[in-house]
Amino acid sequence: MFNMNKLTGAALGASLFMGVWGAPAIANDMSSAESYQALIQAAVDNPLRDDKDRERDAGRKPAKIIEFMGIKPGMTVMEMLAGSGYYAEILSHVVGETGKVIALNNKSYMAFTKDAIVTRLEQPGRMENVDLKIAEINEMDLKKDNLDAVFLVLSYHDFYFVDEESGWPKVDVKRTLGQIHGALKQGGTLAVIDHAAAAGSPRETGSTLHRIDPAIVRTELEAAGFELVATSDVLANPQDDLSKPMYDKSVRGKTHRFVYRFVKK
């Protein structure tokens, strides 16, 4: 387990810096919903983002999600199981120069995404306030009371995925949720988005269909000391066939996803 802090070259020119990190006038004036929305949209519109990520935006609606979760400049946010860093990159420009993002991957996620996040981190000006942390889920070694928010996007179901041969050991879910709870500040946000499984589906559905019953998530997180304070149907799709794995061509990118905002009690 180790941390990998990106090393980058010189900062971008002043004009690009303004466009990518959000104009100071916007960052300093969070008194209106319009200013807040403009700050988030500027992060989504960052010209350095990959075209593939932009193509995903229509289905993921990151601006609406980040606003719903209440992420603000100056926060310290972790994207857990960040993969290639889709959310970590956008979050980095929302929290800005005074904030910080931790992108946490285990070795399996790094292998699956072929170190794509490292490429992002190496590009000057792109993710200047993001640290990459590589650790297995059971042993994340997180600082206590350090995080304002944790994003767990399309990956809670992976807590029930097991593939010892490929380096994915069984996750101790209770321990993992305890680590997240301990790392969050009091009142901190846990953002959970995942592919919905049919009501009553067993936990093992996380390994077979890569989906999970939302009721399981709520029950486990409430038992771990979190309170569900808001839900959103912004990513709902009633037409999704919940019996199909999320990677099936007929539903890929169009699954019915639940959006939960929990806070640490």
Side-chain angles (χ1 to χ4, degrees), residues 1-260:
M1 180 172 63
F2 60 93
N3 290 326
M4 183 186 296
N5 295 323
K6 63 178 184 50
L7 300 176
T8 61
L12 294 178
S15 61
L16 182 56
F17 179 88
M18 294 280 282
V20 174
W21 286 93
I26 295 176
N28 292 332
D29 178 16
M30 300 299 291
S31 60
S32 71
E34 291 79 7
S35 296
Y36 181 42
Q37 291 165 358
L39 174 72
I40 296 172
Q41 194 59 51
V44 174
D45 292 341
N46 173 3
L48 293 179
R49 293 182 67 220
D50 292 341
D51 289 341
K52 288 184 178 180
D53 281 356
R54 296 183 190 283
E55 292 171 3
R56 296 187 182 104
D57 289 348
R60 294 192 174 190
K61 298 180 172 56
K64 291 183 180 296
I65 294 297
I66 290 172
E67 181 181 4
F68 177 74
M69 299 300 174
I71 306 304
K72 302 286 177 62
M75 284 185 169
T76 299
V77 182
M78 181 174 79
E79 184 185 8
M80 182 177 171
L81 297 177
S84 63
Y86 175 92
Y87 261 104
E89 181 167 8
I90 301 172
L91 289 166
S92 73
H93 297 286
V94 174
V95 302
E97 292 181 284
T98 59
K100 180 179 179 180
V101 174
I102 299 167
L104 185 143
N105 275 334
N106 61 7
K107 292 180 180 178
S108 293
Y109 260 66
M110 290 296 291
F112 181 75
T113 57
K114 298 179 174 60
D115 293 342
I117 193 168
V118 175
T119 300
R120 297 177 194 251
L121 291 168
E122 289 175 343
Q123 187 172 353
R126 190 166 179 180
M127 297 168 72
E128 297 290 343
N129 58 350
V130 179
D131 287 343
L132 174 61
K133 180 179 176 69
I134 301 176
E136 296 310 309
I137 299 172
N138 289 329
E139 299 291 343
M140 292 186 286
D141 189 28
L142 304 174
K143 293 182 180 178
K144 187 173 177 57
D145 301 323
N146 180 56
L147 303 174
D148 295 292
V150 173
F151 269 55
L152 191 55
V153 182
L154 306 181
S155 54
Y156 193 104
H157 69 267
D158 282 331
F159 292 171
Y160 292 99
F161 179 75
V162 181
D163 188 349
E164 299 273 358
E165 291 184 0
S166 66
W168 191 287
K170 184 177 181 180
V171 173
D172 184 336
V173 178
K174 185 176 181 180
R175 174 179 172 79
T176 296
L177 298 183
Q179 290 181 88
I180 297 171
H181 189 274
L184 279 166
K185 300 174 183 176
Q186 195 70 30
T189 291
L190 173 57
V192 180
I193 302 169
D194 215 333
H195 310 284
S201 296
R203 287 169 171 79
E204 290 75 19
T205 306
S207 187
T208 57
L209 301 181
H210 295 274
R211 296 173 179 266
I212 193 162
D213 180 355
I216 292 174
V217 176
R218 180 172 184 176
T219 297
E220 291 183 343
L221 285 173
E222 288 179 342
F226 294 93
E227 179 183 0
L228 180 63
V229 295
T231 66
S232 172
D233 62 0
V234 68
L235 300 180
N237 178 13
Q239 306 305 314
D240 179 23
D241 184 345
L242 304 184
S243 69
K244 293 184 177 180
M246 50 71 59
Y247 53 79
D248 187 277
K249 290 182 179 180
S250 66
V251 299
R252 189 175 182 86
K254 300 177 290 185
T255 55
H256 177 60
R257 282 156 283 168
F258 59 94
V259 178
Y260 285 173

